[in-house]
Structures are given as C-alpha cells and as structure tokens.
Amino acid sequence: MEICVVGAGYVGLTTAAVLADRGHTVFCTDVDTDKIAKLRKGIIPIYEPGLTELIKDNQQRDTLFFDTDSKKHMAHCPVIMIAVGTPSAKDGSADMKYVKHVITAIAETIRSYKTIIMKSTVPPGTADWVEEELQQRGTRPDLFDIVSNPEFLREGTAIEDTVHPDRIVIGAKRSEAAMKVQEMYASLQTTFLLTNRLEAELIKYASNAFLATKISFINEIARICDAYSADIMEVSQGIGLDERIGSRFLQAGLGYGGSCFPKDVNALDYVASSKGVKLDLLHAVKKINRSQIDIYLNKITHALGEWTEKPRIAVWGATFKENTDDIRYSQAIALMKKLTHRGYAVYAYDPLATPELPSVIWCSSPYVAVEQADVLVVATAWHSFLEADWHKVKTLMRRPVIVDGRNALDKKNLELHGFAYMGVGRP
Ligand code: UDX
Ligand code: UDX
C-alpha cells in the first residue's frame, strides 16, 4: 500500500519505518522543515533504539520517504495516517489544533477515496467530529472512511512494541474500512480487535489510565511497606504472580511521567467531567503520583539531617524513563526543581538530556556529578547507572548515601560496598 503518515514524532516515525519495512511504500511528512531535512540525510531527530538503522535501510530500499509537503502525498496515497501530537491544553483537555490542521489539508486535497487512520490519541467522539468536519468542508461522504487505530508503543522499546503488539485495535463504521487497515498490518502476528470508533478511542484512554493506576497503586502499597519495613519488591512479585493481576507495571518508584500517562489521564478526566462523570479513582491516581516526589524529598532531607554547609545532591537521569531522550513530564526533573527550591546544590547527569533548569549544574559524566555529593539520587534507570563502578562512586562522594528513585539498583551489592541505600518500600 502507499501510505502517507502525517507527523514524524515518536509514534509517526516508528510506525512509518515499521510499515515501510513490512513492504509498504510510506511517505512520512512533517511541518518541521529542519526535522525533515535531517531525516532525509539519515539523521534521526529522536533517540529510539534501532530506529536509525530501520529508517536508513528502508530509505535505501526506496520504501520510506520524508517530505514537508503533506498535501502532495495525501493527494496520491489511498491511506493517510494522522500521527501529530495532541498535547495537554491548559484546562487538561487534549489540544486538537494539530489534528485540525491535518483535517483542513485533507479537505483541500481529497479527490479520490482515502482510508484516514487516526493514530494520534484523541478524545472519544473525534472520529465522528472529523467526519462531520470533512463533510462540512464539501468532501463527499463516499470519498473517505475514518478509522480509529490507537497506538500502544512505549518509548525506548517502540520498534519491538510495534512489531509485536499485544493487540491491534481497529475502530471503524464500515467493515470494509476495518478490513483495509487489518490488511495493512497483515504481516504482524497478533490479535486484531475490530470494534466501533468510539470504543477504540476509549480503549486507548482507558488503557493508559489503567496502567497509571497500577503504578500509583503499587506506589501506595510501597508507602505501607515503608511504614512496616517490608520489601515492596517481594510484595510486588507476589501480587504479580496472580495472572489476574500480572507482573508488569508494578514497579514502585518516583512515579510515572512521559508524554502519555499524565496527558491522557488529564484528558480522560476532562471528557468525563464534560459529561458530568466524576472520576474519583483517577483523581487519587494523579494525587499519589504528584506526592511521590515529596516522599523522596522527605527521605533525602531525613538522610541529610542537620547541615551547616549547603548539601550537594547528585541526580542521575533526567528523561522520564530509560532508553529515551524524552523529558516531557519527567518526574526526575520535577524532583530536581524541588531539590533546588529547598536550597540544595544539584549536580546532574543524563546520557542524552541536559535541559536548562535554574540552578541545576550538568556534569560531563555520572562520576563528575557525584564528586563531594552528600546524596546520590538515581532518578532514571539507565543501564549504565545500574552497572556503575560503585567503588569509584563511594570514593568520590562526601557521604555514601544512595536514593534509588526506581527501585532498580542492587541493594545488597550497594550495602556490601558500604552505602546507605534508600528506595521506596525497601527496608
Ligand atoms: C503521538 C501521538 O500522535 C499523540 O496523540 C499520542 O498521545 C502520543 O504519541 P508523539 O509522536 O509523541 O505523539 O508526538 P511528537 O513527538 O510531538 O510528534 C508530532 C509530530 O507532528 C511533530 O514532529 C510535529 O512537527 C508534527 N506535526 C505537528 C505535523 O507534521 N503537522 C502538524 O500540523 C503538527
Ligand atoms: C506509555 C504506554 O505504556 C504506551 O502503551 C502508550 O502508547 C504511551 O504511553 P511510555 O510513556 O512511552 O508508554 O512509557 P512507559 O513504559 O509506559 O512508562 C511510563 C512511565 O511510567 C515512566 O515514567 C516509567 O518510569 C513509569 N513506570 C512504568 C513506573 O513508574 N513503574 C512501572 O512499573 C512502569
């Protein structure tokens, strides 16, 4: 198939590359001229393991093309996939302005039948709204189908998640349109759930809200573990062995961040309240996630005790999780801001991100960051942090205190090295 993917972000780029690799011809477009110029030269603007090679391979095979002229490719491709961002607006709703731009462009160019796939995460009712919008702009109803096909890939494992998804959800009004999208994914071995558009839209929000709930749930149980000096790692393992619960997304720590969970929980809350539905559970999920930072702050303050000289805190990790360069809604950054606010000197290191933050000093290596530190906080579970030279770290630090923001370090090993180790829910 010839497919036009609009939006070369984390989702659009990965999906375009995988579809091209699976035998389709994909034209991936973006309004960002600089991004497209780089992509054409094989320079990938984001960090995603394996993506550079996949894109280059398919550019060489002439199956993947990049362009700023989306209208040109919308006009000739029978399949258009919308993958532009839908960030949180101030009131928590999903900001649909980028989707609106794309709809306007489609209305202006459409001459032949198109299957329009909504890949961006959008509020329930969006497919119906797009359909009306196109018709109001004079597009004949027989010239298009709108299909809701939400994306579930995670940053850091985006290719693997796209090639081996747990399921592919296809929401369509007409079965012919659903079949067309299923055919596009025919090379992927998975369960296809064919449903209506509204349900497909809700599945995406509900999935992310449920995963966020799982994380806040385990973080709340970790608080009880702290009170009893019990180990959340054991508790989490025991819970997860129940197949009805499952072991994934039960890792306690600093809480969830990223471009999806915070935004989608807010957007679901917004649409629910617009219908008069109050989401008590999700409000609690958000509250727990916010206060998780304070739990860590208190641990750090407690570890520092009384001080005369300004405490020096090393923070390893700035991205919202490992294996990505994405810092959107990063809990690591939220923590750094609070640490500087308390008057501590913050020396930070991240393998990929060095965002400008008032009073945070970025260091050239994790070891430079820990020099003379009173506490080391590991805020993102990058592999290189887990495998650090702890002997070296100990000799560099002023006091050997480690706060594990992801419960990801080897506690026993650190204690053998002479560190005082603190996670959340770790005795
Ligand atoms: C995606 C989804 O589409 C979003 O709805 C979902 O919730 C998360 O994943 P993401 O890939 O993370 O978003 O977005 P981003 O990395 O911001 O990329 C969006 C791209 O679309 C940008 O490169 C932007 O330049 C481009 N864009 C935006 C267009 O090409 N046209 C526009 O009109 C607006
Ligand atoms: C998420 C969804 O998983 C994905 O299906 C959707 O398409 C986009 O949003 P992503 O945000 O890329 O993916 O990363 P994810 O691995 O889900 O992690 C989100 C946040 O939760 C990170 O900050 C991570 O550190 C945190 N997390 C995850 C935990 O705190 N504990 C866990 O057990 C799992």
Side-chain angles (χ1 to χ4, degrees), residues 5-13 29-32 35 46 68 70 82-87 97-102 119-122 151 153 155 204-205 208 259-260 263-264 326 328:
V5 175
V6 188
Y10 288 87
V11 168
L13 259 187
T29 72
D30 203 291
V31 287
D32 186 334
K35 195 181 246 188
I46 56 167
T68 48
S70 54
I82 303 175
V84 293
T86 48
K97 67 170 177 281
Y98 303 123
V99 173
K100 282 182 189 162
H101 291 164
V102 181
K119 188 54 111 179
S120 299
T121 304
V122 290
E151 182 50 60
L153 65 79
E155 290 176 26
K204 171 70 188 193
Y205 275 135
N208 276 353
S259 66
C260 290
K263 151 176 96 63
D264 293 348
D326 199 340
R328 287 180 279 185

Side-chain angles (χ1 to χ4, degrees), residues 187-328:
S187 68
L188 305 181
Q189 303 291 317
T190 188
T191 304
F192 285 89
L193 177 77
L194 306 189
T195 181
N196 296 309
R197 303 187 303 199
L198 207 47
E199 282 76 3
E201 289 162 342
L202 276 165
I203 285 168
K204 171 70 188 193
Y205 275 135
S207 298
N208 276 353
F210 185 78
L211 291 168
T213 304
K214 245 183 141 177
I215 297 168
S216 280
F217 174 82
I218 203 68
N219 282 334
E220 193 160 66
I221 299 294
R223 297 176 186 188
I224 307 173
C225 284
D226 264 340
Y228 274 97
S229 286
D231 194 344
I232 188 66
M233 303 300 275
E234 306 275 320
V235 175
S236 173
Q237 190 188 5
I239 300 172
L241 283 170
D242 186 326
E243 280 184 16
R244 293 170 301 176
I245 298 172
S247 59
R248 297 167 76 190
F249 281 70
L250 282 182
Q251 182 81 12
L254 267 171
Y256 61 80
S259 66
C260 290
F261 288 172
K263 151 176 96 63
D264 293 348
V265 170
N266 280 339
L268 188 57
D269 190 14
Y270 183 89
V271 296
S273 65
S274 74
K275 292 280 183 191
V277 181
K278 193 163 167 269
L279 302 183
D280 292 329
L281 177 60
L282 284 189
H283 286 176
V285 167
K286 286 200 269 186
K287 192 172 167 199
I288 293 167
N289 202 53
R290 273 196 306 271
S291 54
Q292 205 60 15
I293 307 265
D294 299 320
I295 292 211
Y296 275 92
L297 267 182
N298 291 341
K299 284 176 187 283
I300 295 165
T301 311
H302 183 74
L304 288 169
E306 293 285 317
W307 48 273
T308 42
E309 204 179 330
K310 191 176 189 171
R312 192 167 159 156
I313 316 286
V315 180
W316 284 1
T319 54
F320 82 93
K321 66 175 209 183
E322 64 282 10
N323 296 328
T324 181
D325 57 353
D326 199 340
I327 55 160
R328 287 180 279 185

Side-chain angles (χ1 to χ4, degrees), residues 81-144:
M81 180 182 284
I82 303 175
V84 293
T86 48
S88 261
K90 276 212 175 85
D91 58 6
S93 64
D95 186 341
M96 298 293 285
K97 67 170 177 281
Y98 303 123
V99 173
K100 282 182 189 162
H101 291 164
V102 181
I103 302 309
T104 307
I106 295 176
E108 285 167 8
T109 50
I110 192 165
R111 300 284 175 271
S112 54
Y113 173 80
K114 309 286 174 195
T115 305
I116 301 169
I117 302 174
M118 185 60 79
K119 188 54 111 179
S120 299
T121 304
V122 290
T126 297
D128 291 347
W129 165 78
V130 171
E131 190 169 294
E132 279 165 31
E133 196 71 9
L134 282 173
Q135 288 183 31
Q136 272 175 16
R137 287 161 192 264
T139 312
R140 282 195 347 248
D142 60 315
L143 271 187
F144 67 92

Side-chain angles (χ1 to χ4, degrees), residues 141 152 182 231 276:
F152 302 100
Q182 188 169 358
D231 194 344

